[in-house]
Amino acid sequence: MKPVFGCVRVSLQMSWTSTMSSGYSSLEEDSEEYFFTARTSLFKKPSVKPTNLKDVEKEKELRTHLTYEEIRQKVEQYNTESRDHFKMTLNTNGMYTGFIKVQLDLRRPITVKGGGAGGVKGQEAFYLPRGSINTLHISSTNTVRQVIEALLRKFTVADNPAKFALFKRFSREDQVYTCKLSEEEHPLFLRLVAGPSTDALSFVLKEQQTGEVLWDAFSIPELQNFLRILDKEEQDQICSITKRYNAYREKLEEAMRATGGPG
């Protein structure tokens, strides 16, 4: 089977785990154009090619030519097919709101801003659990870039949003494909057209795939946090290896004493 243009075929085996905390927060106070709420638990280089610009133009053309009645029918069909309480709502002006789920697949640590006493102070670097899923409530006007910014802002991530990209993942003929979305695409429109099935469409947040790591894009505190993480991982690995070989030495010496050999 030929791979989809602008996409990369990946394994059909997908690990989907979710740890969501209750409660919502809103960005409506930031801008009338934003309509976000979120709930989540915060705490090499994949060969993924960017999606072709023709995909973006096709999405824009389709969105432009959908009438209010066509949108209404699609929203009704979506809500009928949905098996959870994440429904879409259509407003009289043609804008609609709904939910998307975004899976986190971050390989590098992210920098989190502290929340004061009892929590993280200053800025600390963390590895977010890979495979965790965030649920966002957005509108049809929100773009990919706004979704990324909202995810980072709601979870007090200090990293530059330009370091991240949103990908769409979909199944076709028993194969799973992943394509990078343009920053100006509209995730909720894609969700509406694809329907509620995560096999038909799901969203994944990853680091930007620009080849080698662009260390110049990181601040000095971020780099220092990375070094502290690497030092801790190195010490943990040294301790683990030392403990394992000490245990092996003890067993070997016991065996030698049991056979009357030197030891």
Short mmCIF file of all heavy atoms in Angstrom, two decimals, residues 112-174:
data_model
loop_
_atom_site.label_atom_id
_atom_site.label_comp_id
_atom_site.label_asym_id
_atom_site.label_seq_id
_atom_site.Cartn_x
_atom_site.Cartn_y
_atom_site.Cartn_z
N VAL A 112 7.88 24.30 33.51
CA VAL A 112 6.63 24.71 34.14
C VAL A 112 6.90 25.85 35.10
O VAL A 112 7.84 25.80 35.89
CB VAL A 112 5.98 23.53 34.90
CG1 VAL A 112 4.71 23.97 35.59
CG2 VAL A 112 5.69 22.38 33.95
N LYS A 113 6.07 26.88 35.01
CA LYS A 113 6.18 28.03 35.91
C LYS A 113 5.55 27.67 37.25
O LYS A 113 4.49 27.05 37.31
CB LYS A 113 5.49 29.25 35.32
CG LYS A 113 6.18 29.79 34.09
CD LYS A 113 5.45 30.98 33.51
CE LYS A 113 4.16 30.57 32.82
NZ LYS A 113 3.53 31.68 32.09
N GLY A 114 6.24 28.08 38.34
CA GLY A 114 5.77 27.75 39.68
C GLY A 114 4.51 28.49 40.06
O GLY A 114 4.24 29.60 39.59
N GLY A 115 3.74 27.87 40.95
CA GLY A 115 2.49 28.47 41.40
C GLY A 115 2.55 29.02 42.80
O GLY A 115 1.53 29.36 43.38
N GLY A 116 3.75 29.07 43.40
CA GLY A 116 3.85 29.65 44.73
C GLY A 116 4.00 28.59 45.79
O GLY A 116 4.40 27.46 45.55
N ALA A 117 3.63 28.95 47.05
CA ALA A 117 3.81 28.07 48.20
C ALA A 117 3.04 26.77 48.01
O ALA A 117 1.91 26.76 47.55
CB ALA A 117 3.34 28.78 49.47
N GLY A 118 3.67 25.69 48.41
CA GLY A 118 3.03 24.39 48.31
C GLY A 118 3.18 23.74 46.95
O GLY A 118 2.86 22.57 46.77
N GLY A 119 3.67 24.46 45.98
CA GLY A 119 3.83 23.91 44.63
C GLY A 119 5.22 24.17 44.12
O GLY A 119 6.17 24.36 44.88
N VAL A 120 5.33 24.17 42.80
CA VAL A 120 6.62 24.43 42.18
C VAL A 120 6.95 25.91 42.31
O VAL A 120 6.12 26.77 42.05
CB VAL A 120 6.59 24.01 40.70
CG1 VAL A 120 7.92 24.32 40.04
CG2 VAL A 120 6.27 22.53 40.58
N LYS A 121 8.18 26.22 42.70
CA LYS A 121 8.62 27.61 42.80
C LYS A 121 9.57 27.91 41.66
O LYS A 121 10.41 27.10 41.31
CB LYS A 121 9.29 27.85 44.15
CG LYS A 121 8.35 27.68 45.34
CD LYS A 121 9.05 27.99 46.64
CE LYS A 121 8.10 27.84 47.84
NZ LYS A 121 8.77 28.13 49.12
N GLY A 122 9.46 29.12 41.12
CA GLY A 122 10.30 29.48 39.99
C GLY A 122 9.90 28.68 38.77
O GLY A 122 8.72 28.57 38.44
N GLN A 123 10.88 28.12 38.08
CA GLN A 123 10.62 27.30 36.91
C GLN A 123 11.34 25.97 37.06
O GLN A 123 12.50 25.92 37.45
CB GLN A 123 11.09 28.00 35.63
CG GLN A 123 10.28 29.24 35.29
CD GLN A 123 10.66 29.80 33.93
OE1 GLN A 123 11.58 29.34 33.29
NE2 GLN A 123 9.92 30.83 33.49
N GLU A 124 10.62 24.90 36.80
CA GLU A 124 11.18 23.56 36.89
C GLU A 124 10.89 22.81 35.60
O GLU A 124 9.89 23.07 34.93
CB GLU A 124 10.58 22.79 38.08
CG GLU A 124 10.92 23.37 39.44
CD GLU A 124 12.38 23.15 39.82
OE1 GLU A 124 13.02 22.29 39.20
OE2 GLU A 124 12.87 23.84 40.73
N ALA A 125 11.77 21.89 35.25
CA ALA A 125 11.59 21.07 34.06
C ALA A 125 11.02 19.71 34.44
O ALA A 125 11.45 19.10 35.42
CB ALA A 125 12.92 20.90 33.33
N PHE A 126 10.03 19.25 33.67
CA PHE A 126 9.38 17.98 33.93
C PHE A 126 9.23 17.21 32.63
O PHE A 126 9.12 17.78 31.55
CB PHE A 126 7.97 18.18 34.52
CG PHE A 126 7.96 18.80 35.89
CD1 PHE A 126 7.79 20.16 36.05
CD2 PHE A 126 8.11 18.01 37.02
CE1 PHE A 126 7.77 20.74 37.30
CE2 PHE A 126 8.09 18.58 38.28
CZ PHE A 126 7.92 19.94 38.43
N TYR A 127 9.21 15.90 32.77
CA TYR A 127 8.78 15.05 31.67
C TYR A 127 7.29 14.78 31.86
O TYR A 127 6.88 14.20 32.86
CB TYR A 127 9.54 13.71 31.68
CG TYR A 127 10.91 13.77 31.07
CD1 TYR A 127 12.05 13.82 31.87
CD2 TYR A 127 11.08 13.76 29.69
CE1 TYR A 127 13.32 13.87 31.32
CE2 TYR A 127 12.35 13.81 29.13
CZ TYR A 127 13.46 13.86 29.94
OH TYR A 127 14.70 13.91 29.39
N LEU A 128 6.46 15.22 30.92
CA LEU A 128 5.04 14.92 31.00
C LEU A 128 4.80 13.46 30.61
O LEU A 128 5.47 12.94 29.72
CB LEU A 128 4.25 15.83 30.05
CG LEU A 128 4.08 17.28 30.47
CD1 LEU A 128 3.32 18.06 29.41
CD2 LEU A 128 3.36 17.39 31.81
N PRO A 129 3.87 12.79 31.28
CA PRO A 129 3.59 11.39 30.95
C PRO A 129 3.15 11.26 29.49
O PRO A 129 2.18 11.90 29.07
CB PRO A 129 2.46 11.03 31.91
CG PRO A 129 2.53 12.03 33.01
CD PRO A 129 3.04 13.29 32.38
N ARG A 130 3.85 10.46 28.73
CA ARG A 130 3.48 10.26 27.33
C ARG A 130 2.21 9.43 27.25
O ARG A 130 2.03 8.46 27.97
CB ARG A 130 4.61 9.57 26.57
CG ARG A 130 5.86 10.43 26.44
CD ARG A 130 6.93 9.73 25.63
NE ARG A 130 6.49 9.46 24.27
CZ ARG A 130 7.21 8.79 23.37
NH1 ARG A 130 8.39 8.30 23.71
NH2 ARG A 130 6.76 8.61 22.15
N GLY A 131 1.32 9.84 26.38
CA GLY A 131 0.06 9.12 26.20
C GLY A 131 -1.10 9.70 26.97
O GLY A 131 -2.24 9.31 26.75
N SER A 132 -0.84 10.64 27.90
CA SER A 132 -1.95 11.27 28.62
C SER A 132 -2.75 12.15 27.66
O SER A 132 -2.22 12.65 26.67
CB SER A 132 -1.44 12.09 29.80
OG SER A 132 -0.56 13.11 29.35
N ILE A 133 -4.01 12.32 27.95
CA ILE A 133 -4.92 13.00 27.04
C ILE A 133 -5.56 14.20 27.73
O ILE A 133 -6.00 14.11 28.88
CB ILE A 133 -6.02 12.05 26.54
CG1 ILE A 133 -5.39 10.90 25.74
CG2 ILE A 133 -7.04 12.79 25.67
CD1 ILE A 133 -6.38 9.86 25.26
N ASN A 134 -5.58 15.32 27.04
CA ASN A 134 -6.23 16.54 27.52
C ASN A 134 -7.49 16.79 26.69
O ASN A 134 -7.47 16.62 25.47
CB ASN A 134 -5.30 17.74 27.37
CG ASN A 134 -4.00 17.55 28.12
OD1 ASN A 134 -3.96 17.67 29.32
ND2 ASN A 134 -2.94 17.21 27.40
N THR A 135 -8.56 17.17 27.36
CA THR A 135 -9.81 17.49 26.68
C THR A 135 -10.01 19.00 26.68
O THR A 135 -10.01 19.64 27.74
CB THR A 135 -11.00 16.82 27.37
OG1 THR A 135 -10.79 15.40 27.36
CG2 THR A 135 -12.29 17.12 26.63
N LEU A 136 -10.15 19.57 25.49
CA LEU A 136 -10.34 21.02 25.34
C LEU A 136 -11.72 21.32 24.79
O LEU A 136 -12.19 20.62 23.89
CB LEU A 136 -9.29 21.60 24.39
CG LEU A 136 -7.82 21.57 24.81
CD1 LEU A 136 -6.97 22.12 23.68
CD2 LEU A 136 -7.61 22.37 26.07
N HIS A 137 -12.33 22.36 25.32
CA HIS A 137 -13.60 22.86 24.80
C HIS A 137 -13.29 24.09 23.97
O HIS A 137 -12.80 25.10 24.50
CB HIS A 137 -14.55 23.20 25.94
CG HIS A 137 -15.93 23.53 25.48
ND1 HIS A 137 -16.74 24.42 26.14
CD2 HIS A 137 -16.65 23.09 24.42
CE1 HIS A 137 -17.90 24.52 25.50
NE2 HIS A 137 -17.87 23.72 24.47
N ILE A 138 -13.51 24.04 22.68
CA ILE A 138 -13.11 25.12 21.78
C ILE A 138 -14.25 25.49 20.85
O ILE A 138 -15.31 24.85 20.87
CB ILE A 138 -11.88 24.72 20.95
CG1 ILE A 138 -12.21 23.56 20.00
CG2 ILE A 138 -10.71 24.33 21.86
CD1 ILE A 138 -11.07 23.18 19.06
N SER A 139 -14.02 26.50 20.04
CA SER A 139 -15.02 26.91 19.04
C SER A 139 -14.49 26.63 17.65
O SER A 139 -13.30 26.36 17.45
CB SER A 139 -15.34 28.41 19.19
OG SER A 139 -14.35 29.19 18.55
N SER A 140 -15.38 26.75 16.67
CA SER A 140 -15.00 26.48 15.28
C SER A 140 -14.06 27.53 14.73
O SER A 140 -13.44 27.32 13.68
CB SER A 140 -16.26 26.41 14.41
OG SER A 140 -17.03 27.60 14.54
N THR A 141 -13.91 28.67 15.41
CA THR A 141 -13.02 29.72 14.93
C THR A 141 -11.59 29.55 15.44
O THR A 141 -10.68 30.20 14.95
CB THR A 141 -13.52 31.11 15.36
OG1 THR A 141 -13.53 31.18 16.79
CG2 THR A 141 -14.92 31.37 14.82
N ASN A 142 -11.38 28.70 16.42
CA ASN A 142 -10.06 28.53 17.01
C ASN A 142 -9.15 27.74 16.08
O ASN A 142 -9.54 26.72 15.52
CB ASN A 142 -10.16 27.82 18.36
CG ASN A 142 -10.84 28.66 19.42
OD1 ASN A 142 -11.67 28.16 20.17
ND2 ASN A 142 -10.52 29.94 19.47
N THR A 143 -7.93 28.23 15.94
CA THR A 143 -6.96 27.62 15.05
C THR A 143 -6.05 26.66 15.82
O THR A 143 -6.05 26.62 17.05
CB THR A 143 -6.08 28.69 14.38
OG1 THR A 143 -5.34 29.38 15.40
CG2 THR A 143 -6.94 29.68 13.61
N VAL A 144 -5.25 25.91 15.06
CA VAL A 144 -4.27 25.00 15.66
C VAL A 144 -3.33 25.77 16.58
O VAL A 144 -3.03 25.33 17.69
CB VAL A 144 -3.48 24.27 14.56
CG1 VAL A 144 -2.23 23.61 15.12
CG2 VAL A 144 -4.36 23.23 13.87
N ARG A 145 -2.86 26.91 16.12
CA ARG A 145 -1.93 27.70 16.93
C ARG A 145 -2.57 28.11 18.25
O ARG A 145 -1.92 28.06 19.31
CB ARG A 145 -1.50 28.93 16.15
CG ARG A 145 -0.50 29.81 16.90
CD ARG A 145 0.06 30.89 16.02
NE ARG A 145 1.08 31.68 16.72
CZ ARG A 145 1.81 32.61 16.14
NH1 ARG A 145 1.66 32.88 14.87
NH2 ARG A 145 2.72 33.28 16.84
N GLN A 146 -3.82 28.51 18.23
CA GLN A 146 -4.51 28.91 19.45
C GLN A 146 -4.70 27.72 20.39
O GLN A 146 -4.62 27.87 21.62
CB GLN A 146 -5.85 29.55 19.11
CG GLN A 146 -5.71 30.91 18.43
CD GLN A 146 -7.04 31.44 17.91
OE1 GLN A 146 -8.01 30.70 17.75
NE2 GLN A 146 -7.08 32.73 17.65
N VAL A 147 -4.95 26.55 19.83
CA VAL A 147 -5.10 25.35 20.65
C VAL A 147 -3.79 25.03 21.37
O VAL A 147 -3.78 24.73 22.57
CB VAL A 147 -5.56 24.16 19.79
CG1 VAL A 147 -5.43 22.85 20.55
CG2 VAL A 147 -7.01 24.35 19.34
N ILE A 148 -2.67 25.10 20.65
CA ILE A 148 -1.37 24.84 21.26
C ILE A 148 -1.09 25.85 22.37
O ILE A 148 -0.67 25.49 23.48
CB ILE A 148 -0.26 24.88 20.21
CG1 ILE A 148 -0.42 23.73 19.21
CG2 ILE A 148 1.13 24.81 20.86
CD1 ILE A 148 0.54 23.78 18.04
N GLU A 149 -1.32 27.13 22.09
CA GLU A 149 -1.08 28.17 23.08
C GLU A 149 -1.96 27.97 24.31
O GLU A 149 -1.51 28.19 25.45
CB GLU A 149 -1.33 29.54 22.46
CG GLU A 149 -0.29 29.94 21.41
CD GLU A 149 -0.64 31.24 20.70
OE1 GLU A 149 -1.78 31.72 20.87
OE2 GLU A 149 0.23 31.78 19.99
N ALA A 150 -3.21 27.57 24.10
CA ALA A 150 -4.13 27.35 25.22
C ALA A 150 -3.67 26.19 26.09
O ALA A 150 -3.70 26.27 27.32
CB ALA A 150 -5.54 27.10 24.70
N LEU A 151 -3.23 25.10 25.46
CA LEU A 151 -2.73 23.96 26.23
C LEU A 151 -1.55 24.36 27.12
O LEU A 151 -1.51 24.04 28.31
CB LEU A 151 -2.29 22.84 25.27
CG LEU A 151 -3.38 21.93 24.72
CD1 LEU A 151 -2.81 21.05 23.61
CD2 LEU A 151 -3.97 21.06 25.82
N LEU A 152 -0.61 25.08 26.55
CA LEU A 152 0.57 25.48 27.32
C LEU A 152 0.22 26.48 28.40
O LEU A 152 0.72 26.41 29.53
CB LEU A 152 1.62 26.07 26.38
CG LEU A 152 2.11 25.16 25.24
CD1 LEU A 152 3.20 25.86 24.44
CD2 LEU A 152 2.61 23.83 25.77
N ARG A 153 -0.66 27.43 28.09
CA ARG A 153 -1.02 28.47 29.05
C ARG A 153 -1.80 27.89 30.24
O ARG A 153 -1.56 28.26 31.39
CB ARG A 153 -1.83 29.56 28.35
CG ARG A 153 -2.24 30.70 29.28
CD ARG A 153 -2.68 31.92 28.49
NE ARG A 153 -3.68 31.61 27.50
CZ ARG A 153 -3.48 31.64 26.18
NH1 ARG A 153 -2.29 31.93 25.71
NH2 ARG A 153 -4.46 31.36 25.33
N LYS A 154 -2.71 27.00 29.97
CA LYS A 154 -3.54 26.44 31.04
C LYS A 154 -2.75 25.57 31.99
O LYS A 154 -3.12 25.41 33.14
CB LYS A 154 -4.70 25.64 30.44
CG LYS A 154 -5.77 26.52 29.81
CD LYS A 154 -6.26 27.58 30.79
CE LYS A 154 -7.26 28.51 30.16
NZ LYS A 154 -7.70 29.57 31.10
N PHE A 155 -1.64 25.01 31.51
CA PHE A 155 -0.84 24.15 32.38
C PHE A 155 0.48 24.82 32.73
O PHE A 155 1.45 24.15 33.07
CB PHE A 155 -0.62 22.79 31.71
CG PHE A 155 -1.92 22.18 31.29
CD1 PHE A 155 -2.13 21.77 29.98
CD2 PHE A 155 -2.97 22.05 32.18
CE1 PHE A 155 -3.35 21.23 29.59
CE2 PHE A 155 -4.19 21.53 31.80
CZ PHE A 155 -4.38 21.11 30.49
N THR A 156 0.50 26.16 32.64
CA THR A 156 1.62 27.01 33.05
C THR A 156 2.95 26.56 32.48
O THR A 156 3.97 26.57 33.17
CB THR A 156 1.71 27.09 34.59
OG1 THR A 156 1.99 25.78 35.13
CG2 THR A 156 0.42 27.62 35.20
N VAL A 157 2.93 26.14 31.22
CA VAL A 157 4.17 25.76 30.54
C VAL A 157 4.84 27.02 30.02
O VAL A 157 4.23 27.82 29.31
CB VAL A 157 3.88 24.78 29.38
CG1 VAL A 157 5.17 24.45 28.62
CG2 VAL A 157 3.25 23.50 29.92
N ALA A 158 6.10 27.20 30.37
CA ALA A 158 6.82 28.43 30.01
C ALA A 158 7.50 28.34 28.65
O ALA A 158 7.97 29.35 28.14
CB ALA A 158 7.87 28.75 31.07
N ASP A 159 7.55 27.16 28.06
CA ASP A 159 8.25 27.00 26.78
C ASP A 159 7.55 27.78 25.66
O ASP A 159 6.33 28.00 25.69
CB ASP A 159 8.30 25.51 26.39
CG ASP A 159 9.09 24.70 27.39
OD1 ASP A 159 8.48 24.22 28.37
OD2 ASP A 159 10.29 24.55 27.20
N ASN A 160 8.33 28.14 24.67
CA ASN A 160 7.81 28.85 23.50
C ASN A 160 6.85 27.95 22.73
O ASN A 160 7.20 26.82 22.38
CB ASN A 160 8.98 29.26 22.60
CG ASN A 160 8.56 30.18 21.48
OD1 ASN A 160 7.40 30.21 21.07
ND2 ASN A 160 9.51 30.93 20.96
N PRO A 161 5.61 28.40 22.45
CA PRO A 161 4.67 27.57 21.69
C PRO A 161 5.20 27.14 20.33
O PRO A 161 4.75 26.12 19.79
CB PRO A 161 3.44 28.49 21.54
CG PRO A 161 3.54 29.45 22.68
CD PRO A 161 5.00 29.67 22.90
N ALA A 162 6.15 27.91 19.78
CA ALA A 162 6.71 27.56 18.47
C ALA A 162 7.49 26.25 18.50
O ALA A 162 7.80 25.69 17.45
CB ALA A 162 7.61 28.69 17.96
N LYS A 163 7.81 25.76 19.70
CA LYS A 163 8.54 24.50 19.82
C LYS A 163 7.63 23.29 19.63
O LYS A 163 8.12 22.16 19.56
CB LYS A 163 9.21 24.41 21.20
CG LYS A 163 10.26 25.48 21.46
CD LYS A 163 10.80 25.35 22.87
CE LYS A 163 11.78 26.46 23.18
NZ LYS A 163 12.26 26.40 24.59
N PHE A 164 6.31 23.52 19.57
CA PHE A 164 5.36 22.42 19.53
C PHE A 164 4.54 22.46 18.24
O PHE A 164 4.39 23.50 17.61
CB PHE A 164 4.43 22.48 20.74
CG PHE A 164 5.16 22.49 22.05
CD1 PHE A 164 5.51 23.68 22.65
CD2 PHE A 164 5.51 21.31 22.69
CE1 PHE A 164 6.19 23.71 23.86
CE2 PHE A 164 6.18 21.32 23.89
CZ PHE A 164 6.53 22.52 24.48
N ALA A 165 3.98 21.31 17.90
CA ALA A 165 3.13 21.20 16.71
C ALA A 165 1.99 20.24 17.02
O ALA A 165 2.13 19.32 17.84
CB ALA A 165 3.93 20.71 15.51
N LEU A 166 0.86 20.48 16.35
CA LEU A 166 -0.30 19.60 16.51
C LEU A 166 -0.40 18.71 15.27
O LEU A 166 -0.32 19.20 14.14
CB LEU A 166 -1.57 20.42 16.68
CG LEU A 166 -2.81 19.64 17.13
CD1 LEU A 166 -2.61 19.10 18.55
CD2 LEU A 166 -4.06 20.52 17.08
N PHE A 167 -0.57 17.43 15.50
CA PHE A 167 -0.68 16.46 14.42
C PHE A 167 -2.06 15.82 14.43
O PHE A 167 -2.70 15.70 15.48
CB PHE A 167 0.38 15.36 14.57
CG PHE A 167 1.79 15.83 14.35
CD1 PHE A 167 2.45 16.59 15.29
CD2 PHE A 167 2.47 15.49 13.18
CE1 PHE A 167 3.75 17.02 15.09
CE2 PHE A 167 3.77 15.91 12.97
CZ PHE A 167 4.41 16.68 13.93
N LYS A 168 -2.51 15.42 13.25
CA LYS A 168 -3.72 14.62 13.18
C LYS A 168 -3.33 13.18 12.88
O LYS A 168 -2.40 12.90 12.12
CB LYS A 168 -4.68 15.14 12.11
CG LYS A 168 -4.19 15.07 10.68
CD LYS A 168 -5.24 15.58 9.70
CE LYS A 168 -4.73 15.52 8.26
NZ LYS A 168 -5.75 16.02 7.30
N ARG A 169 -4.03 12.26 13.51
CA ARG A 169 -3.77 10.83 13.33
C ARG A 169 -5.07 10.17 12.89
O ARG A 169 -6.12 10.42 13.47
CB ARG A 169 -3.27 10.22 14.64
CG ARG A 169 -3.04 8.72 14.60
CD ARG A 169 -2.60 8.22 15.96
NE ARG A 169 -1.22 8.60 16.25
CZ ARG A 169 -0.69 8.57 17.47
NH1 ARG A 169 -1.42 8.24 18.50
NH2 ARG A 169 0.58 8.92 17.64
N PHE A 170 -5.00 9.36 11.86
CA PHE A 170 -6.22 8.73 11.35
C PHE A 170 -5.88 7.36 10.78
O PHE A 170 -4.73 7.06 10.44
CB PHE A 170 -6.88 9.60 10.29
CG PHE A 170 -5.99 9.91 9.11
CD1 PHE A 170 -6.03 9.14 7.96
CD2 PHE A 170 -5.11 10.99 9.14
CE1 PHE A 170 -5.21 9.42 6.87
CE2 PHE A 170 -4.29 11.29 8.06
CZ PHE A 170 -4.34 10.49 6.93
N SER A 171 -6.92 6.52 10.69
CA SER A 171 -6.76 5.17 10.17
C SER A 171 -7.32 5.09 8.76
O SER A 171 -8.32 5.71 8.44
CB SER A 171 -7.50 4.16 11.06
OG SER A 171 -6.99 4.18 12.37
N ARG A 172 -6.63 4.30 7.93
CA ARG A 172 -7.10 4.08 6.58
C ARG A 172 -6.59 2.72 6.10
O ARG A 172 -5.39 2.49 6.09
CB ARG A 172 -6.63 5.19 5.64
CG ARG A 172 -7.12 5.05 4.21
CD ARG A 172 -6.71 6.27 3.39
NE ARG A 172 -7.32 7.49 3.90
CZ ARG A 172 -6.99 8.70 3.48
NH1 ARG A 172 -6.04 8.86 2.57
NH2 ARG A 172 -7.59 9.77 3.99
N GLU A 173 -7.52 1.84 5.76
CA GLU A 173 -7.18 0.51 5.27
C GLU A 173 -6.22 -0.21 6.22
O GLU A 173 -5.16 -0.71 5.84
CB GLU A 173 -6.58 0.60 3.86
CG GLU A 173 -7.54 1.17 2.83
CD GLU A 173 -6.91 1.24 1.45
OE1 GLU A 173 -5.74 0.82 1.32
OE2 GLU A 173 -7.59 1.68 0.51
N ASP A 174 -6.61 -0.24 7.51
CA ASP A 174 -5.86 -0.96 8.54
C ASP A 174 -4.47 -0.40 8.78
O ASP A 174 -3.61 -1.08 9.34
CB ASP A 174 -5.75 -2.46 8.20
CG ASP A 174 -7.11 -3.15 8.17
OD1 ASP A 174 -7.98 -2.72 8.94
OD2 ASP A 174 -7.28 -4.09 7.37
#
